Structure formats: C-alpha cells, structure tokens
Amino acid sequence: MELTINYTTKQFERLPENLEVLIAMELPEKKKGIAVALNNRIIPQSFWAETFLNNKDSILIITATQGG
C-alpha cells in the first residue's frame, strides 16, 4: 500500500489507522503549527482522528517555522 506524502511516495505494509496516527509518525516531536491537506482538501486538526486513509491518498503536511 502506498501514500504520497509531501510529493514523495511511501510504501506501507499496512496503512496508518488514521490521519492523526500518520502525523504522529511523520512528526513525532511536533504538536502545534501543523496544517494538513488530504487529496487537496484541508482537514482541520479536530478531524484527524476520524479521517481514515486509503491506498494512493495524497497528503500534504505543512509546518509553521519561526524566522523572517
């Protein structure tokens, strides 16, 4: 099974249970300042736990950074 995460295809034996689990896997130390789009649709953080993933989904993860 595969997901495209930030334009890079990743293979999984089993897809993560939901979007919340995937974000925890991809950014284990980051809790705030994250925006996520699933198949070009922004998913609010309050819906991550109930947003299930399917084979070939495309996820874009954007994180806020400090600086100028």
Side-chain angles (χ1 to χ4, degrees):
M1 305 205 136
E2 67 181 42
L3 297 173
T4 301
I5 303 170
N6 290 356
Y7 307 106
T8 301
T9 301
K10 293 191 175 187
Q11 300 292 327
F12 295 86
E13 285 190 31
R14 183 173 176 256
L15 291 178
E17 181 178 334
N18 56 41
L19 197 52
E20 185 174 62
V21 172
L22 176 70
I23 300 304
M25 289 169 55
E26 293 293 311
L27 301 168
E29 297 172 7
K30 189 128 174 101
K31 302 288 183 208
K32 294 184 178 184
I34 302 171
V36 179
L38 172 64
N39 299 323
N40 296 317
R41 190 173 138 238
I42 295 174
I43 307 295
Q45 188 171 1
S46 59
F47 289 97
W48 290 358
E50 58 193 61
T51 301
F52 301 100
L53 301 171
N54 295 301
N55 190 36
K56 308 266 184 180
D57 276 346
S58 178
I59 298 104
L60 181 63
I61 304 169
I62 300 171
T63 58
T65 58
Q66 291 182 334

